[in-house]
Amino acid sequence: MEDHRCEVILLQTSDVHGCLLPRSYADQSEVCYGLARVASIIKEERRKHKQVLLMDSGDSLQGTPLTYYHARVNSTPAHPVIACMNELGYDAAGIGNHEFNYGLPYLERTMKEARFPWLSANILDTATGQPKFGPPYLIKELPLGLRIGILGLTTSYIPNWERPEHITGLTFSDPVEAARTWVHHMKEHERADVIVVAYHGGLERDVKTGVPTEPLTGENVGIALCQQVPGIDVLLTGHQHRSLAGCEVNGVCVVQPGYEGRALGKVTLQLANEGEGWKLLYKQSELVGADDYEPDPVIEDKVREVETLTQAWLDQPIGEVDGDLSIHAPAEVRLSEHPLIEWINRVQMDVSGADVSCTALFDNRSSGFGAVITMRDLVTFYVYPNTLKVLRISGRDLREALEQSAQYFTLDDTGAIIVHPAYLAPKPQHYNYDMWEGIEYTLDISRPAGQRVTRLEHNGRPVADQQAFDVVMNNYRASGGGNFEMFRDKPVVKDIPMDMVELLADYITSHGRITASVNHNWLVVGGHSPAPDLARTSAETRTRAGR
């Protein structure tokens, strides 16, 4: 019997978050990432190899002003991300949690533009119990009869974050159970020789030691998939924004290509068929960085129309500022009350009627607001399509929430306050540190975690554990997102369904001018002054944290 051999290259993007062009929306400076640069890698790989499959693991449709503009302002042009993915000839795409941010009708309309299937075995139509978005897997038959099976999975934790009206009629089942069912089906009934799982989720444990690296909530179950589901050969992960390659878990080749098109995941498979079926001889994952590649002009041309419209919209002035709402050092904003954070909290309190509010500085990109506020300033500062909820919580809940936020900080060997490493890896989580208005409090970082709230008052009086408070916060936090379990399932006093960018824009335009002020109602103490970047938190902290 003739000996057949075959090499297959799997290419993967994940968590592109609408980042198509290699330019910053904050100041239009050149950046070293984006799908246009990744496109050049994809085309090079196709020139070098005969058998290439290209997949995405989710969170492609949301994350930049470009995608916000298309979803909320003008959806007439073709969706820019889908146009680029069609041009690049994706074989399949997974579904991430951020795909639902603009509602199910928008998502379904956008999906119809794609010339590739969307795969998710565990997002089910509640009425039928069947996968909602079509077949949960794809079989690609290559020359010589080699059959590659691609199964899509999505983190089942989405109902803990997403607005209920955006996921009405959907059930998010356990990815591990779904994988057991469908991997067996693909092996037995589809005769798949290789099983690839494209999972919008990450790794809950250390790859080498197996020690949990996060609370085992079920948000990420990549290790469980490798250990508990026989038959998986390759796991293409995402969601955590990690750069991960060159590793195996229980014999499964694992890769995760970061985010925003900073790298392309590449898995090389070598197989042989000596007459008794295909055998996988070799598999290896690697990352190909985008920074050494020039942007592909075809991709840039694909989005030129909607990009031009977006840039014009971003430059629209919407209001003016009395005082200073600019951000010079994000670290200082989180250590000492800043007028922009106070203003956000004041707006939230004004529109909701609540007398206590919390918010966060989501990442380290925004420079705040200048004397004239534009939509560019607003969408660069408020990067998520959040809405607001007012919860009724107790004084005990309030104290626990402050203690949770205080874990964002720790002290280095010199006694300087720095960001705790757990909030920097596997991805930055600056959005999980809240700052509050309507209460007075002090956090002492020199004290043990859980004992750092040394002052907590409301209107000058100590807060009692059983005291009731109506608190306004974004919907992510209100659902318990970021391990704020004290907020989960609390009574919702008011639900404000307008996106925060729209809400803030309406507030600014209706007032014309806003005034910078700060009342210094909170303090962070317990260490000496850190370096300007909060004690060497690395270049990664200056990038957007995608939750």
Side-chain angles (χ1 to χ4, degrees), residues 302-381:
K302 278 288 176 184
V303 297
R304 195 176 310 279
E305 176 189 358
V306 67
E307 173 71 10
T308 299
L309 293 170
T310 301
Q311 292 292 347
W313 172 72
L314 286 172
D315 287 332
Q316 293 179 17
I318 57 175
E320 298 178 329
V321 175
D322 289 327
D324 186 6
L325 291 180
S326 59
I327 295 174
H328 304 288
E332 295 176 3
V333 174
R334 300 183 182 102
L335 286 168
S336 180
E337 190 173 20
H338 188 277
L340 183 51
I341 298 299
E342 175 159 322
W343 178 75
I344 296 291
N345 273 321
R346 291 289 181 189
V347 172
Q348 293 186 171
M349 294 161 73
D350 184 72
V351 301
S352 69
D355 61 357
V356 179
S357 173
C358 64
T359 193
L361 179 60
F362 296 129
D363 60 26
N364 290 350
R365 288 184 172 180
S366 174
S367 59
F369 298 168
V372 176
I373 307 171
T374 66
M375 285 301 300
R376 188 182 304 277
D377 298 325
L378 200 52
V379 299
T380 303
F381 173 78

Side-chain angles (χ1 to χ4, degrees), residues 222-255:
I223 299 293
L225 285 167
C226 294
Q227 293 179 337
Q228 299 177 26
V229 182
I232 300 175
D233 296 299
V234 178
L235 181 64
L236 309 176
T237 63
H239 185 57
Q240 292 174 315
H241 296 190
R242 296 176 68 177
S243 297
L244 181 66
C247 63
E248 289 191 3
V249 177
N250 194 31
V252 179
C253 184
V254 179
V255 64

Side-chain angles (χ1 to χ4, degrees), residues 32-85:
C32 59
Y33 48 87
L35 189 62
R37 291 189 188 275
V38 170
S40 295
I41 312 175
I42 293 169
K43 292 183 177 182
E44 179 178 273
E45 292 293 329
R46 284 183 171 145
R47 287 192 296 268
K48 290 162 56 178
H49 304 282
K50 292 182 179 180
Q51 305 299 335
V52 176
L53 298 179
L54 174 61
M55 288 154 284
D56 183 81
S57 292
D59 274 6
S60 60
L61 302 179
Q62 176 277 338
T64 59
L66 178 69
T67 52
Y68 182 93
Y69 175 84
H70 188 272
R72 292 292 189 235
V73 182
N74 179 9
S75 60
T76 300
H79 195 288
V81 175
I82 300 300
C84 292
M85 294 176 75

Side-chain angles (χ1 to χ4, degrees), residues 5-27:
R5 293 184 178 269
C6 182
E7 181 180 75
V8 179
I9 304 297
L10 308 176
L11 302 179
Q12 180 215 12
T13 56
S14 189
D15 299 271
V16 172
H17 283 291
C19 188
L20 303 179
L21 303 179
R23 286 178 288 280
S24 165
Y25 282 98
D27 58 13

